[in-house]
Amino acid sequence: MRFPGFLPTLLLMTAVALGFVLTFTLPPSEVLSLELYNRAVTDYGQYYELLSAVFVTPYLSDVLFNEVSLVVIYSFFRGEAGWREVPCFLLGGAVGNLATVLLLPPDTISSGASGGVIGLLGYYLARDALIREGSLKGLAVAAAFLGFVITFSSLLFSNVNNVAHVFGGLSGMLCGILDYSFYKRHNG
């Protein structure tokens, strides 16, 4: 592992782990105010929950899966995006949570970093497909693989927020497409 290239991934892993620890050190009412509660966002304007919910989760299996997933993503893509990983992760989590608020019932409660992790994976898959293939076919294969990952994770765990996963992944892919456009403009 190249350590400097691993720093953004390490930062994300640390934030996810600290969020898990925070879940058990804060009083339950404060944890609930950090999780995404659709009604709190729509009725009371607690928009910060769109982002704070990315970092809290009461499930050890969730945090371990997200930590391992971040390491696997790093091992495949070697942190090529550098610090761009952080906004891609945050955007994936926030967009996934926004879609949760807009598409799921008002009493839905959701938390965890999976939307951000899948967003980061979507970013790398789209960017890599376009750099290697330069075609919509490569992008379609990347989207299909991302769909497989989302389906697999929903089969592996119960109570998975597929809306957050799908929209986190789509926002990540959009980031990858935009990054590729920038890359292509500057590298011919």
Side-chain angles (χ1 to χ4, degrees), residues 9-77:
T9 303
L10 184 62
L11 173 71
L12 293 173
M13 291 176 68
T14 303
V16 169
L18 287 175
F20 176 70
V21 170
L22 191 67
T23 303
F24 293 101
T25 57
L26 291 176
S29 62
E30 288 184 37
V31 172
L32 184 59
S33 74
L34 295 174
E35 290 182 300
L36 179 68
Y37 177 43
N38 285 2
R39 192 174 300 281
V41 175
T42 58
D43 295 354
Y44 303 106
Q46 293 177 315
Y47 301 109
Y48 67 88
E49 291 184 7
L50 295 172
L51 200 55
S52 66
V54 173
F55 297 103
V56 294
T57 183
Y59 304 108
L60 179 62
S61 60
D62 188 34
V63 76
L64 290 176
F65 188 76
N66 288 329
E67 296 286 328
V68 168
S69 297
L70 286 168
V71 170
V72 169
I73 291 169
Y74 177 81
S75 69
F76 276 101
F77 299 101

Side-chain angles (χ1 to χ4, degrees), residues 93-162:
V95 168
N97 286 338
L98 180 61
T100 298
V101 169
L102 296 173
L103 300 174
L104 294 181
D107 289 325
T108 300
I109 296 174
S110 183
S111 61
S114 301
V117 171
I118 292 174
L120 186 59
L121 178 61
Y123 162 81
Y124 274 121
L125 289 173
R127 182 178 176 272
D128 192 59
L130 289 170
I131 288 172
R132 291 180 191 275
E133 305 256 342
S135 69
L136 290 177
K137 179 183 175 189
L139 196 57
V141 170
F145 181 74
L146 190 63
F148 169 78
V149 169
I150 292 168
T151 302
F152 179 74
S153 71
S154 68
L155 295 173
L156 198 60
F157 298 104
S158 61
N159 298 323
V160 170
N161 182 348
N162 288 315

